[in-house]
Amino acid sequence: MNILEVEHLKIWDSLTGRILVTDSSFHLSQGECLAIVGESGSGKSLTCRALLRLNRSGLRQSGDIILNGINLSGLPEKEMRKLRGNRLCMIMQNGMRAFDPSRPVGAHLRETLAVHTPWSRSERSENVKRAMESVGFNDPCAVLARYPHELSGGMLQRVMIALAIVLEPDILIADEPTTALDAVTQFEVVEQFEQLRSRLGSSMIFVSHDLGVVKRIADRVLVMKDGEIIEQGETGEIFSSAQHPYTRYLVSSKMALQRHFRQLMGGDGVAEG
Ligand SMILES: Nc1ncnc2c1ncn2[C@@H]1O[C@H](COP(=O)(O)OP(=O)(O)OP(=O)(O)O)[C@@H](O)[C@H]1O
Ligand SMILES: [Mg+2]
């Protein structure tokens, strides 16, 4: 069963008329992890944000986004807000921008949970504490009392992952969740995602430049280039017998580069599976 179906998604800049994502169609089935790969500027983040209708107002989108049979394209903003965080949860590429700079990160978490869960105050803080510990914070309360600028990009990323763990969304969209992290934390975070999936059966869209991670956790891969999906298929097929020359180039060059980098760093980093 498909939990999400995207049909003919198009995104353009209303000011210049430039088309940024062209006629994108893909689906996500229940419990599946779909990776989106492709070079910088190929439209991965725009696509993810379009699913939640979170792109900047100057950008327009058309096409159908069907979540569990409901077409989100025609949904009023109020309904969309209810879905975000509850059914669809996104971990942004830039952790800093996801938080209100004028308040401690804990305030953001408490507010989000108050809106999206029926829990009491003490249940909320207990669940947040446990999730924060599970993403590697030994002293969750101290972290929650800090302002976003007082935390590193990697820490903010982990706070967002903790929030996603607490919210247990139907679909988790993670836009390069490990890019800002060091190798050890990266490994732990990828493990978190795997656990989240096996524990909750969450469906996931995972954007990453790290093809080693993609190979390890994705069931299917979607390859984007210049705003277009040029290929999609089972992970094994994409890595061993891609049809499109660009995919073959991406797989061979990136894997070689990452191997080289890990050798230089004197370790394996995230296993290539
Ligand atoms: N708010 C915006 N207004 C106009 N153009 C934009 C806007 N945001 C992104 N773009 C353009 O859309 C294209 C796709 O951007 P997007 O952020 O989706 O790329 P990406 O694949 O996520 O890249 P990266 O791997 O670097 O994160 C780029 O050419 C970018 O310049
Ligand atoms: Mg991006």
Side-chain angles (χ1 to χ4, degrees):
M1 193 192 83
N2 289 337
I3 188 165
L4 179 77
E5 283 174 24
V6 177
E7 284 162 18
H8 308 296
L9 175 68
K10 178 178 158 187
I11 305 169
W12 68 97
D13 186 337
S14 62
L15 221 71
T16 61
R18 188 176 153 219
I19 294 171
L20 303 167
V21 169
T22 344
D23 199 22
S24 256
S25 295
F26 59 94
H27 65 270
L28 181 71
S29 56
Q30 178 65 49
E32 182 178 51
C33 177
L34 174 73
I36 306 182
V37 303
E39 65 200 8
S40 190
S42 56
K44 304 181 297 294
S45 295
L46 288 184
T47 299
C48 290
R49 286 200 297 268
L51 302 179
L52 289 101
R53 297 212 328 236
L54 277 179
N55 276 314
R56 289 218 200 115
S57 56
L59 299 180
R60 297 281 152 76
Q61 67 188 70
S62 65
D64 293 318
I65 296 161
I66 301 156
L67 174 70
N68 269 332
I70 299 168
N71 197 334
L72 305 187
S73 306
L75 224 55
E77 179 53 28
K78 196 171 152 217
E79 297 294 315
M80 262 324 279
R81 223 172 293 145
K82 269 193 236 161
L83 288 178
R84 287 186 207 120
N86 205 353
R87 311 280 300 277
L88 280 165
C89 189
M90 180 155 170
I91 295 176
M92 304 274 181
Q93 187 168 6
N94 184 339
M96 204 61 91
R97 256 197 263 153
F99 292 92
D100 179 348
S102 65
R103 299 161 72 208
V105 293
H108 175 97
L109 263 65
R110 277 194 296 277
E111 199 170 275
T112 309
L113 292 179
V115 172
H116 291 291
T117 71
W119 300 328
S120 69
R121 207 189 168 101
S122 63
E123 283 171 324
R124 286 200 295 268
S125 63
E126 188 47 43
N127 290 338
V128 165
K129 197 167 155 265
R130 206 172 318 128
M132 292 282 285
E133 281 164 358
S134 78
V135 294
F137 290 119
N138 298 324
D139 188 356
C141 295
V143 177
L144 293 169
R146 301 263 191 91
Y147 285 82
H149 72 268
E150 296 177 304
L151 299 174
S152 70
M155 288 168 97
L156 290 171
Q157 202 78 323
R158 279 192 286 153
V159 174
M160 275 197 284
I161 292 168
L163 181 60
I165 290 172
V166 182
L167 286 169
E168 303 188 352
D170 295 346
I171 301 179
L172 178 64
I173 303 171
D175 189 357
E176 299 193 40
T178 60
T179 313
L181 310 177
D182 61 78
V184 175
T185 321
Q186 230 177 64
F187 186 79
E188 283 168 4
V189 166
V190 170
E191 277 195 330
Q192 282 299 326
F193 279 115
E194 285 184 321
Q195 275 178 26
L196 199 66
R197 277 189 73 202
S198 60
R199 215 169 57 213
L200 313 171
S202 294
S203 314
M204 201 181 286
I205 296 179
F206 194 89
V207 178
S208 184
H209 282 282
D210 189 334
L211 295 188
V213 172
V214 167
K215 197 174 176 188
R216 177 170 155 190
I217 75 165
D219 301 302
R220 275 189 314 117
V221 180
L222 200 147
V223 185
M224 290 194 76
K225 186 176 191 305
D226 301 329
E228 204 182 325
I229 298 173
I230 54 159
E231 184 159 8
Q232 46 184 319
E234 303 282 326
T235 305
E237 277 170 24
I238 293 287
F239 279 88
S240 65
S241 51
Q243 299 299 306
H244 199 287
Y246 175 74
T247 311
R248 289 203 291 269
Y249 157 77
L250 196 73
V251 168
S252 61
S253 60
K254 284 261 170 144
M255 291 304 264
L257 195 68
Q258 278 162 20
R259 242 188 327 266
H260 181 61
F261 179 71
R262 282 179 188 129
Q263 276 162 2
L264 276 179
M265 300 303 285
D268 281 321
V270 175
E272 279 183 18

